[in-house]
Amino acid sequence: MTQAGRPIRVAVVDDQPLIRAGFSMVLAGQDDIEVVGEAENGAEALDLLRTVEADVVIMDIRMPVMDGIQATEQLMRMDDPPGVLVLTTFDNDEDAFAALRSGAGGFLLKNAPAADVVNAIRVLAAGESVVAPRITRLLLDRVVSDRLEPANGQAERLDVLTARERDVLALVARGLSNAEIAKDLYVAQATVKTHLGNLMAKLHLRDRAQAVAFAYESGLVRPSP
C-alpha cells in the first residue's frame, strides 16, 4: 500500500500483448497493487497517463512509434512523475544506459522472477531506486564496459564534492545500500543519507539511479574487469 493507504497504481507498457497480459495477471494477484492501464508503445503510454494516475510504470525499451527512452524522458517532465521500471536485456546495453540517464529509477531483465518485479514496484512506489540487486550491478558494468574515458565535462563536476561525498557516491555506484555504506565507512545511516542528499543536490541529480550513471560517466567508478 502507498502512504495514502491505497494500492500502488501501475501502468504496463510493452509492445507484446502476451507480456502485458502476463505482467497484469501477476500484479492482479497482489493485494497492494492495482493495474490502472496498459499501452503498447510510448506514445500510447503518455496518452494513457493523461487520463489515469500511476505510481509506477513498467516500461519496455524497444517499441514502435515511441520507444521507452523517449517516453521516460517525457514522463520525467511531469509535475509529479511516476517511478519508471525499465525491462531490458543484455543485448540492449546502450538503450539501457540511455534509459538510466533519462530518469528511469529501476532496471530488471525481462526474464526476472515475478517476485523481483513486484518488489521493484514497491521500492519505486516508496520513492527509492532499484539499483542494489546483483543483476543491476552486472548490467551497469556491461553498459559501461566500452566507456573507458569519462564523458566530456563530467569529471570536472566531481570537484564540487567533498572527499566523503565522493566515497559515498562510489559505494552507491557499486550497488551498496545505505546500511552497507554506513558499515563500510563506519558512520551512521543518517550520515550516509545526508551525504547522499548533499551530493545529489550539488550535481543536480534526480535520484539514486542517476547518481549511479553519473559515477560511471565521470570516471569515479570503472566497470569490473
Side-chain angles (χ1 to χ4, degrees), residues 104-152:
F107 291 87
L108 288 177
L109 298 182
K110 278 199 171 181
N111 61 357
D116 287 357
V117 176
V118 171
N119 180 65
I121 289 171
R122 291 171 178 150
V123 170
L124 289 176
E128 299 294 332
S129 298
V130 184
V131 297
R134 176 177 177 272
I135 193 65
T136 307
R137 293 200 297 271
L138 293 174
L139 174 60
L140 287 169
D141 279 354
R142 180 153 179 174
V143 165
V144 298
S145 61
D146 295 327
R147 300 173 184 270
L148 301 181
E149 297 298 329
N152 290 338

Side-chain angles (χ1 to χ4, degrees), residues 120-196:
I121 289 171
R122 291 171 178 150
V123 170
L124 289 176
E128 299 294 332
S129 298
V130 184
V131 297
R134 176 177 177 272
I135 193 65
T136 307
R137 293 200 297 271
L138 293 174
L139 174 60
L140 287 169
D141 279 354
R142 180 153 179 174
V143 165
V144 298
S145 61
D146 295 327
R147 300 173 184 270
L148 301 181
E149 297 298 329
N152 290 338
Q154 297 294 58
E156 289 77 6
R157 293 177 63 194
L158 288 170
D159 293 341
V160 303
L161 303 182
T162 66
R164 183 57 84 187
E165 287 167 352
R166 289 191 186 207
D167 292 341
V168 170
L169 178 58
L171 293 174
V172 167
R174 290 301 187 193
L176 274 66
S177 66
N178 285 1
E180 291 168 332
I181 294 172
K183 183 177 180 180
D184 190 89
L185 298 179
Y186 301 99
V187 298
Q189 285 191 53
T191 301
V192 173
K193 187 174 181 179
T194 297
H195 285 313
L196 184 58

Side-chain angles (χ1 to χ4, degrees), residues 1-209:
M1 295 288 181
T2 63
Q3 290 183 346
R6 56 168 173 72
I8 300 167
R9 300 165 300 190
V10 177
V12 181
V13 185
D14 196 291
D15 63 331
Q16 299 182 48
L18 287 178
I19 290 180
R20 294 199 307 273
F23 278 122
S24 294
M25 181 176 65
V26 168
L27 298 179
Q30 307 299 315
D31 292 337
D32 61 338
I33 295 175
E34 174 190 5
V35 177
V36 295
E38 299 179 10
E40 65 180 23
N41 58 61
E44 272 196 14
L46 294 175
D47 288 340
L48 171 67
L49 293 170
R50 293 187 185 101
T51 61
V52 301
E53 294 185 2
D55 302 301
V56 176
V57 177
I58 296 178
M59 184 77 75
D60 188 21
I61 290 183
R62 292 290 182 92
M63 296 181 291
V65 184
M66 178 184 289
D67 63 31
I69 296 169
Q70 294 173 300
T72 299
E73 288 176 344
Q74 294 201 35
L75 286 177
M76 291 305 110
R77 298 191 186 109
M78 296 172 61
D79 291 336
D80 186 20
V84 176
L85 174 63
V86 168
L87 300 179
T88 186
T89 57
F90 278 137
D91 58 1
N92 284 333
D93 291 344
E94 289 300 320
D95 287 341
F97 193 78
L100 177 69
R101 295 185 62 198
S102 72
F107 291 87
L108 288 177
L109 298 182
K110 278 199 171 181
N111 61 357
D116 287 357
V117 176
V118 171
N119 180 65
I121 289 171
R122 291 171 178 150
V123 170
L124 289 176
E128 299 294 332
S129 298
V130 184
V131 297
R134 176 177 177 272
I135 193 65
T136 307
R137 293 200 297 271
L138 293 174
L139 174 60
L140 287 169
D141 279 354
R142 180 153 179 174
V143 165
V144 298
S145 61
D146 295 327
R147 300 173 184 270
L148 301 181
E149 297 298 329
N152 290 338
Q154 297 294 58
E156 289 77 6
R157 293 177 63 194
L158 288 170
D159 293 341
V160 303
L161 303 182
T162 66
R164 183 57 84 187
E165 287 167 352
R166 289 191 186 207
D167 292 341
V168 170
L169 178 58
L171 293 174
V172 167
R174 290 301 187 193
L176 274 66
S177 66
N178 285 1
E180 291 168 332
I181 294 172
K183 183 177 180 180
D184 190 89
L185 298 179
Y186 301 99
V187 298
Q189 285 191 53
T191 301
V192 173
K193 187 174 181 179
T194 297
H195 285 313
L196 184 58
N198 288 343
L199 72 87
M200 289 174 63
K202 289 179 179 180
L203 297 172
H204 306 291
L205 302 173
R206 180 182 300 110
D207 54 29
R208 200 179 185 99

